Structure formats: C-alpha cells, structure tokens
Amino acid sequence: MPKKIDHEARKQDIAKATWQVILDGGIEAASVRNIANEANLSLGALRHYFSTQEELLDYAMELVKSRCEARIMQVVQQNYPPKQLVTKVLLELLPIDRESMAEMQVWFAFTLHLKYKHGKAFRQTDGIREAVQRALVFLSDSGQLKKEKDLAKETEKLYALIDGLAIHRFLNPELFSGEYTAEILTEYIDDLCKK
Amino acid sequence: MPKKIDHEARKQDIAKATWQVILDGGIEAASVRNIANEANLSLGALRHYFSTQEELLDYAMELVKSRCEARIMQVVQQNYPPKQLVTKVLLELLPIDRESMAEMQVWFAFTLHLKYKHGKAFRQTDGIREAVQRALVFLSDSGQLKKEKDLAKETEKLYALIDGLAIHRFLNPELFSGEYTAEILTEYIDDLCKK
DNA sequence: AGCATAATAATACAACTGTACTAAAAAAGG
DNA sequence: CCTTTTTTAGTACAGTTGTATTATTATGCT
C-alpha cells in the first residue's frame, strides 16, 4: 500500500490555505485554483481531499468555529470571578490579534456567502447570540448586574456591540487597535455591573 | 440628432437595477450581464452609460450615499428637541424598511468589495463615524447627557451598536423586526441621557 | 425626405470558474 | 522486485466573467 497520509491534518492545512486566500482577497478569491496554489497542490490533489468547493468551504468554516469554541472553553475552565470571566470570554469573540482577525474574516465572508446562497431560508447557526445571552444570565445569577434589566434586550445590545466592534476593527485595523477595541468592550461590561 | 435621453435619470435606473441584483445575490452576482438583464438592457446599451463595471458600481454606491444623506438632512431640518432629533437621525442609519435594507446591503457589499480591492490602502470614506460623533457632541452641548463621558469612546460604542444592529437585522430579518431594532437603539440613546 | 448621430444590439475574445477524467508517480506490503 | 492502491499531475470541457468591436436601429434637426 502507498503513502499513508493523515487526511485530517492535510485537510486542516488546506483549510488554513483557504483562510489565507480569503484573508488576502475575500470570498471572491476563494477559487479552488487559488486555494490549491496557496496550499502548493495541484487541482487533482486538492480534489482528492475535497471533492467539491462547497465541501472545502464548509470544512474551513467548521474549523474556525471549533477553534473559537476551544479557545472559549479554555478560558471557562480556569475559574475567574464572574465579571472577569465574562469579559475574557467575550473578548475571544473579537478580532484582537492576527489569528482571530483571520478567523473573523473567514467567518464573515462565509456567513455572507451562505446568506446569499440560501436566501430566505438562511438561519444563523453559530451560537454566538446564545453565548452572549448565557454570559449575561450568568452575570445576573451572580448578582453582578447593576439593576434588573431586560436581559433579552441587553443581549441584543451587547451582541450588536461585539459584532459592530469586530467590523470596525476589521475595516480600520490601524486606526482601531486590538487593545482599544478590547478596552471599549471591557468598559461596556463594567458599566453593566454594580460599582 | 437622435433620441434625446436624460442620461442622469437613466443612470439612476441602472443603479437601481444594480441594487436589486446585489439585494438578490450579493456582490458576487453583480456582473454587468446580470445588471443589464435586470435593467432590460443589452450589454452594449449598458456600456453606453457606464463604460466599465467599476464606474457603474461607484455610481450605484454614491447614489446610496447621497440618498441616505438626503434623508438625514430632511430630518435635521425639521426641528425636534435634541434627544428626539438625534434618535431620528441615527435611526436613518438602520435598515428598517425594505428600501433602507437594500441600501444597507449595497453599502455593505460595496464596502467589503473596496476593502479587498485596495487592501491596506483602504480607508472608509462614508462619514458615518463623524455623524455619530456630531450627534453625541450635539447632545452633550445641549446638556442632555447623563454625565461627562468620554465622547470618543461613547462614539465608538454607539457606532458599533448601530452597525451591529444593522448586521443582525440583515442576517435575521424576520427574527429581528425593524420596530424591535429601532426600539433597542432608542432605548440605548435614552440610557445615555439624563432622566 | 434625408442625413447625422445617439442608442442599441450582436458577436467575439481572452481570462477565469468548478468539475471531470485520465494517466503518471510514489510508496508500503508481499 | 513487484504488485496494489493512494496520491498527484495534467488536461479538457462547459459556463461565466469584463471588455472590445462592429453593425444596426431609431430619432431629431435641416
């Protein structure tokens, strides 16, 4: 039997090449040829691991998701005090460093791609809204919130703030540093809590 | 001399066809052929008004911008009390009805398009951040703000909230009604002001 | 009417897309 | 060494893209 290759590891390499291509040229540049080039593979070789473009994009997106979830789980397992924990978790949703910036762009490009592909049938499946909600419920249960607020609306505000900050940092990375972005979110959460 | 046609009006028709195409299929669908079809024109006819695709997209984008500005100016000229005025102005930045939803999608698709086209050289030119800032300065000068806040940071928060809400409504239009979106923004501004 | 010219239509071309197919290369088992 | 099967490379095909070119239509002025 021939060369034994770790398919999963190889697929991850290709997924990372996909991220790089999207990072450079957006989803419009994510052609199978561009990705194969970036991964130093021939078309046929690429096709051997992903038989269709959709399959490849799905995989690249899932990998972003699972990596983000892993980062969050790592934060959760260390036990910080409530407010600090929530802040650290939500900071993981922002594109602070180069890596999370890439992930965010992939997530974004891909979400748009799915939105237009499925039209009215599209539903967001990343559990970000739910995560934000859980964070607020946790703060509330811990008695940290300033006063009894409408948790549903507070969730939407915080969630919107997070995605808005993410987009603004994405569009203006040099005017909008990672530290400044983090500072704004931290301050917002602090305002929600009792002094 | 031959048929005399109002070029500017015609260009606006084509721009609206462009919006429709982007609305249906995203920027990826905004090919000259798709747009020509939507506008019931041949390729040659379309080319008679816009000699290049970039020129067409630029025009379509500028039209969005000027229409949005016009809506805001109309609000500003009626003189509401400060808080209500600011709220009404900022509500114009959200995709509430079908028309503003289309404009927002075009703005968004196009901003992304420019971002990836110009790479690091890209700068956002829509004056939205400045508009938000002016709104807050106006509130502050009117003595409506709850306490002395860091206006720069408050601008970023409010601006992020607006764009976050816009995106969430765009991605989930039926779970996230225009009224609900408006309510959240209104409540946020209300929280900023003295009781 | 007839001419000048704006407006439209039709076609062509090179580049790129996703997918498919075929054949060559490479490596582990016997 | 030699077979077997994974892995890779190369090419082909049909479709779409932006742009260019050419020809045709239609209209308003003299």
Side-chain angles (χ1 to χ4, degrees):
Chain A
M1 285 125 195
K3 191 162 38 173
K4 194 181 80 184
I5 280 193
D6 183 341
H7 264 229
E8 217 50 45
R10 186 74 118 162
K11 283 174 133 186
Q12 293 198 8
D13 289 344
I14 299 176
K16 284 171 190 168
T18 305
W19 298 351
Q20 188 57 47
V21 170
I22 293 183
L23 204 71
D24 290 341
I27 194 79
E28 311 173 54
S31 69
V32 285
R33 280 174 181 79
N34 283 347
I35 294 169
N37 268 347
E38 179 73 35
N40 284 110
L41 291 177
S42 71
L43 269 183
L46 178 59
R47 203 168 152 54
H48 193 249
Y49 298 97
F50 297 100
S51 56
T52 178
Q53 186 188 33
E54 200 62 30
E55 197 180 320
L56 165 55
L57 293 179
D58 278 346
Y59 185 93
M61 180 63 175
E62 273 309 309
L63 194 56
V64 163
K65 210 169 136 182
S66 69
R67 283 169 62 108
C68 182
E69 282 170 2
R71 282 204 314 270
I72 288 184
M73 287 317 289
Q74 201 178 5
V75 172
V76 169
Q77 274 163 9
Q78 301 169 289
N79 56 348
Y80 294 104
K83 191 167 87 176
Q84 200 178 350
L85 173 63
V86 164
T87 304
K88 277 180 181 289
V89 164
L90 296 183
L91 277 177
E92 292 297 332
L93 297 175
L94 288 181
I96 301 293
D97 55 21
R98 191 183 147 74
E99 192 177 328
S100 52
M101 179 78 100
E103 289 179 6
M104 179 262 184
Q105 288 190 48
V106 173
W107 171 88
F108 201 49
F110 203 76
T111 299
L112 277 184
H113 178 69
L114 288 183
K115 163 79 181 173
Y116 285 116
K117 193 180 139 208
H118 295 118
K120 283 205 62 133
F122 170 79
R123 293 287 177 285
Q124 235 174 336
T125 61
D126 60 34
I128 301 190
R129 169 176 280 110
E130 293 71 22
V132 173
Q133 177 142 37
R134 272 200 303 276
L136 280 182
V137 168
F138 175 63
L139 275 186
S140 177
D141 289 350
S142 309
Q144 304 281 326
L145 285 189
K146 199 178 281 181
K147 46 191 166 189
E148 274 317 309
K149 299 207 169 199
D150 180 341
L151 273 192
K153 269 189 191 144
E154 290 304 318
T155 299
E156 295 305 341
K157 283 192 218 166
L158 180 50
Y159 184 24
L161 183 84
I162 289 173
D163 275 356
L165 285 176
I167 297 223
H168 291 166
R169 168 143 170 76
F170 162 58
L171 289 178
N172 273 337
E174 54 284 327
L175 292 184
F176 216 88
S177 75
E179 292 76 20
Y180 191 51
T181 313
E183 200 179 325
I184 291 176
L185 178 60
T186 304
E187 202 177 90
Y188 183 89
I189 297 173
D190 204 62
D191 275 357
L192 284 178
C193 293
K194 289 175 178 165
K195 289 299 154 52
Chain B
M1 286 119 197
K3 191 160 38 173
K4 193 182 79 184
I5 279 194
D6 183 341
H7 264 227
E8 217 51 45
R10 186 74 118 161
K11 281 174 135 188
Q12 292 199 9
D13 290 345
I14 298 176
K16 283 171 190 168
T18 304
W19 298 350
Q20 188 57 46
V21 170
I22 292 183
L23 204 71
D24 291 341
I27 194 79
E28 310 175 56
S31 69
V32 286
R33 279 172 182 81
N34 282 347
I35 294 170
N37 268 344
E38 181 73 34
N40 284 110
L41 290 177
S42 71
L43 268 184
L46 178 62
R47 200 168 154 55
H48 193 250
Y49 297 97
F50 296 100
S51 56
T52 178
Q53 187 188 33
E54 201 61 31
E55 196 180 321
L56 165 55
L57 293 180
D58 279 347
Y59 185 93
M61 180 61 176
E62 272 308 309
L63 194 55
V64 163
K65 211 169 135 182
S66 68
R67 283 169 63 107
C68 183
E69 282 169 2
R71 283 205 314 271
I72 288 184
M73 287 317 290
Q74 202 177 5
V75 172
V76 169
Q77 274 163 8
Q78 301 168 293
N79 55 349
Y80 295 105
K83 192 166 86 175
Q84 200 177 349
L85 173 64
V86 164
T87 304
K88 278 181 181 288
V89 164
L90 297 183
L91 277 177
E92 292 296 333
L93 297 175
L94 288 181
I96 302 293
D97 54 21
R98 193 184 145 72
E99 192 177 328
S100 53
M101 179 77 100
E103 289 179 4
M104 179 262 184
Q105 288 190 49
V106 173
W107 171 86
F108 201 49
F110 202 75
T111 299
L112 277 185
H113 177 69
L114 288 185
K115 164 78 181 173
Y116 283 117
K117 193 179 139 210
H118 296 116
K120 285 206 62 139
F122 170 80
R123 293 287 177 285
Q124 236 173 335
T125 60
D126 59 33
I128 301 189
R129 168 175 282 112
E130 293 72 22
V132 174
Q133 177 143 35
R134 273 199 302 277
L136 280 183
V137 168
F138 175 63
L139 275 186
S140 177
D141 289 350
S142 310
Q144 304 280 326
L145 285 189
K146 199 180 280 180
K147 45 189 165 187
E148 274 317 310
K149 299 207 169 199
D150 180 341
L151 273 191
K153 269 189 191 141
E154 289 305 318
T155 299
E156 295 305 340
K157 283 193 217 166
L158 180 51
Y159 184 24
L161 183 86
I162 288 173
D163 275 357
L165 286 176
I167 296 226
H168 292 166
R169 167 141 170 77
F170 161 58
L171 289 177
N172 274 338
E174 54 284 330
L175 292 183
F176 216 89
S177 76
E179 292 76 19
Y180 191 52
T181 313
E183 201 179 324
I184 291 176
L185 179 59
T186 305
E187 203 177 89
Y188 183 88
I189 297 174
D190 205 61
D191 275 357
L192 283 179
C193 295
K194 288 175 179 168
K195 289 297 154 52

